[in-house]
Amino acid sequence: MPEIQALAFDVFGTVVDWRRSVAREAEALLAPKGVALDWGAFADGWRAKYVPAMARVSSGARPFVALDVLHRENLVDLLAEHRIGGLTEAEIDALNLAWHRLDPWPDVLAGMARLKRRFILASLSNGNVRLMVDVARRAGLLWDAILGAEVARAYKPTPEAYDAAARLLMLDPSECLMVAAHPSDLAAAAARGLRTAYVHRPLERGPHREATRPAPGTFDYAVDSFPELADALGA
Amino acid sequence: MPEIQALAFDVFGTVVDWRRSVAREAEALLAPKGVALDWGAFADGWRAKYVPAMARVSSGARPFVALDVLHRENLVDLLAEHRIGGLTEAEIDALNLAWHRLDPWPDVLAGMARLKRRFILASLSNGNVRLMVDVARRAGLLWDAILGAEVARAYKPTPEAYDAAARLLMLDPSECLMVAAHPSDLAAAAARGLRTAYVHRPLERGPHREATRPAPGTFDYAVDSFPELADALGA
């Protein structure tokens, strides 16, 4: 096998704790308006609309739009389901930016600094460029390039999302390591020839819903943190 | 006017000293083979083929290809013009990577660190993504995003190159400041609604060929260095 030259990262769940961050942002905006909710469940509900919304783009039922657009449509639906009314358009826009203010998992920055010395680090997320830029600037993430859905104009797990990343990095797919907490993402990357690293993120879905670890050997690497990934890669 | 949110940088000549870097790399590869040349003139000759090669893409005469591809075609022509033969394909590939090893002007890093605290910093170069990544990693440039020709699939000064940058950053063009050492680039950016900062780089074309400063007031800002730009923008 050729040497790995670049790491392509899933972001939501793998790099950042979207659930706790979105719950915090929703509470900060809605609680002062008298809304009382299970904020973690609100974040889950928002996230649950993500895959079907992207699927309509990936199937060709609608042209490509940035994830911010899908997030906002889904938010409007979610607010209606919770019978939360009276928000202005500007307030809904502000709440939609919750996804631009996601905190990294505690091990991320130390691991990225080590990995960056040896490898090209690219985001390969379904989040759009501006969302990724805002998250990275706020959290201090060390991307060399923002790739992913908006640059490829294709959402994961569409093959083009992975193909575009390798092509833009001028690498053979086998020189790229997809890093993700989600077996489906890794399986789709492997089908396009990328190598795979599973990162176990037991708290992504909140307490008491720990992710199932894939069977040993399913992916090229399986780790519990970014520093452990750096160890495994000799970085 | 709305506040500036993002700075979009031309790179060749504005951020990096391509002429001296390419001359150094060409000499390092060719001098051991007994080639004796004016290495600065060799770099100039390579660069001179850049605009006509991109023009064939911009006119639609050929489909979009990355700048690395154009650079390599131009290098083959240049070697023939200089009657330099006997290089292997791998040696020509290696020489083509001279453009991935460009040094920043001495003021760049200090200025970028200040600018990054306040603004989104994006490359808006005709160089392809991997070229930009390699230059940035080697030089320590602080990009939040690599935009430009390959992402837009349009070379500057095509309008789409500028439009795509503002669109991907989800900004009105007037919230973006184009930073460049070349009046033609700035004029094309201004025509798409971006604001403009001219940076004087007297040594870009080598000694004794200092660039002509544009008349005062031609662009929104005119500075001699990146720290001076940070001063002008209050960063």
Side-chain angles (χ1 to χ4, degrees):
Chain A
M1 290 292 280
E3 249 186 278
I4 292 167
Q5 305 288 337
L7 275 51
F9 290 78
D10 175 61
V11 174
F12 301 129
T14 302
V15 177
V16 296
D17 178 359
W18 58 266
R19 186 179 192 269
R20 202 164 53 170
S21 305
V22 168
R24 174 197 66 217
E25 297 289 327
E27 182 174 7
L29 203 134
L30 296 175
K33 298 186 171 293
V35 179
L37 276 179
D38 176 340
W39 301 107
F42 184 83
D44 290 336
W46 202 348
R47 177 74 171 182
K49 298 177 184 296
Y50 160 83
V51 168
M54 289 188 301
R56 292 197 60 236
V57 173
S58 299
S59 72
R62 69 183 291 188
F64 184 86
V65 292
L67 187 62
D68 272 335
V69 174
L70 300 177
H71 273 158
R72 196 184 189 287
E73 293 171 358
N74 293 342
L75 174 58
V76 168
D77 290 349
L78 186 71
L79 291 169
E81 289 164 19
H82 284 277
R83 300 175 183 281
I84 300 169
L87 296 186
T88 65
E89 293 299 307
E91 285 170 333
I92 296 172
D93 287 341
L95 182 49
N96 200 44
L97 291 178
W99 293 92
H100 294 224
R101 292 188 291 267
L102 306 178
D103 292 336
W105 298 108
D107 60 277
V108 161
L109 297 183
M112 282 189 102
R114 289 174 57 193
L115 292 163
K116 176 147 178 153
R117 287 200 294 269
R118 173 124 171 220
F119 303 106
I120 295 171
L121 305 186
S123 62
L124 206 179
S125 165
N126 281 331
N128 42 293
V129 170
R130 177 60 187 269
L131 186 163
M132 285 292 126
V133 165
D134 285 349
V135 167
R137 285 178 58 85
R138 183 176 173 281
L141 305 180
L142 301 174
W143 303 129
D144 292 306
I146 308 283
L147 303 179
E150 195 180 21
V151 172
R153 299 192 74 75
Y155 282 109
K156 295 187 294 182
T158 306
E160 173 60 11
Y162 306 96
D163 296 354
R167 191 171 63 238
L168 288 162
L169 295 175
M170 304 182 89
L171 294 173
D172 188 85
S174 66
E175 296 173 304
C176 301
L177 178 68
M178 182 79 210
V179 181
H182 311 121
S184 59
D185 194 0
L186 294 170
R192 303 310 298 170
L194 285 76
R195 288 149 88 179
T196 53
Y198 170 80
V199 185
H200 191 57
R201 295 297 191 194
L203 297 175
E204 181 184 359
R205 298 281 169 182
H208 319 303
R209 290 197 296 169
E210 180 157 349
T212 308
R213 287 179 192 270
T218 308
F219 301 112
D220 298 315
Y221 301 90
V223 296
D224 280 66
S225 70
F226 282 14
E228 198 185 313
L229 180 62
D231 289 342
L233 296 171
Chain B
M1 291 291 281
E3 247 186 280
I4 292 167
Q5 305 289 336
L7 275 51
F9 291 79
D10 173 61
V11 175
F12 301 129
T14 302
V15 177
V16 296
D17 178 359
W18 59 265
R19 186 179 191 271
R20 204 165 51 170
S21 305
V22 168
R24 175 198 65 218
E25 297 289 327
E27 182 175 7
L29 203 134
L30 296 176
K33 298 186 171 294
V35 179
L37 275 179
D38 176 340
W39 301 106
F42 185 83
D44 290 337
W46 202 347
R47 177 74 171 183
K49 297 176 184 300
Y50 161 83
V51 168
M54 289 188 302
R56 293 197 59 235
V57 172
S58 299
S59 72
R62 70 183 289 187
F64 185 85
V65 292
L67 187 62
D68 272 334
V69 175
L70 300 179
H71 273 158
R72 196 184 189 289
E73 293 171 358
N74 293 342
L75 174 58
V76 169
D77 290 348
L78 185 71
L79 291 169
E81 288 164 20
H82 284 276
R83 301 176 183 276
I84 300 169
L87 296 186
T88 67
E89 293 299 308
E91 285 170 333
I92 297 172
D93 287 342
L95 182 49
N96 200 43
L97 291 178
W99 294 92
H100 294 225
R101 292 189 291 266
L102 306 178
D103 293 334
W105 298 109
D107 59 278
V108 160
L109 297 183
M112 282 189 102
R114 289 173 57 194
L115 293 164
K116 176 145 178 156
R117 289 201 292 270
R118 172 125 173 221
F119 303 105
I120 295 171
L121 305 186
S123 62
L124 205 181
S125 166
N126 282 331
N128 42 291
V129 170
R130 176 61 187 271
L131 186 163
M132 285 292 127
V133 166
D134 286 347
V135 167
R137 285 179 58 85
R138 184 176 171 283
L141 306 180
L142 302 175
W143 303 130
D144 292 306
I146 308 282
L147 304 178
E150 194 179 23
V151 172
R153 299 192 74 75
Y155 281 108
K156 296 186 294 180
T158 306
E160 174 60 10
Y162 307 96
D163 295 356
R167 190 171 66 239
L168 288 163
L169 295 175
M170 304 181 91
L171 294 173
D172 188 84
S174 65
E175 295 173 305
C176 300
L177 178 69
M178 182 78 211
V179 181
H182 311 122
S184 58
D185 195 1
L186 295 170
R192 303 310 298 170
L194 284 76
R195 288 150 88 179
T196 52
Y198 170 80
V199 186
H200 191 57
R201 295 298 191 193
L203 296 176
E204 181 184 359
R205 297 282 169 182
H208 321 303
R209 291 198 296 172
E210 181 157 349
T212 310
R213 287 180 191 271
T218 308
F219 301 113
D220 298 316
Y221 301 89
V223 297
D224 280 65
S225 71
F226 283 14
E228 197 186 314
L229 181 61
D231 290 342
L233 296 171

